[in-house]
Amino acid sequence: MPRQNRVDPFGNLIATPARGDFFGNRGALHNDQGQIRRPWQLKRWITCVLEFKGRHRQIMTPGYYTELFFLDEATAFAAGHRPCAECRRADYNRFRELWAQANPDFGFSRRPLATEIDEVLHRERLTAQGQQRRYQAPLSALPEGTFILLESPASIPYLVTAQHLWPWTPGGYGPKLPRPAEATVQVLTPPSVGRTLAAGYKVRLHASAHA
């Protein structure tokens, strides 16, 4: 039976045999039986590479952090994760420099600390009730790599690219739709991350988004 350790663009942990292109964590979420008992533990929600320095882990070892998996980096961003500072150092440095540049109102230095970014992302990704925080925006203003919801069906998250919208599924993106010229949509990707994408951070997309 698949474990409940795959993350969707809503930030939910779901059970699916598909694994995706990225790995990460947000703390120890499982009990000794490998069952998810909480949606997050730490404010440090990170996205990692699948292989790093030959390390191997036993999935959901009791007492250790819960290994999570993402279809691609855009999915991880929508869920509120950022690049890991260890295994993705170059991506992390590029992200935090562009994040600071794109979000000057926060008043951080050119290279903010990971904890400073994490504090902002934690406020942006969750409401006081622990639900995903979303906002309305014109579709024309959103950069590639953002996730949105359309009015109908409102349950399907769509990846935004330059010309198309791609419906998300655990195994990859479905058939693309033309990107409307004018529309106001609900945005899943945290606003500070969206501004970072607009500033030039090149998000990594699953191969199915290039079909």
Side-chain angles (χ1 to χ4, degrees), residues 21-25 46-50 70 82-84 87-88:
D21 293 344
F22 283 88
F23 158 73
N25 82 85
I46 58 175
T47 311
C48 304
V49 292
L50 295 176
F70 311 85
R82 61 155 173 86
C84 174
C87 68
R88 300 183 59 202

Side-chain angles (χ1 to χ4, degrees), residues 10-28:
F10 301 115
N12 299 323
L13 305 183
I14 63 174
T16 172
R19 279 293 174 258
D21 293 344
F22 283 88
F23 158 73
N25 82 85
R26 53 179 80 161

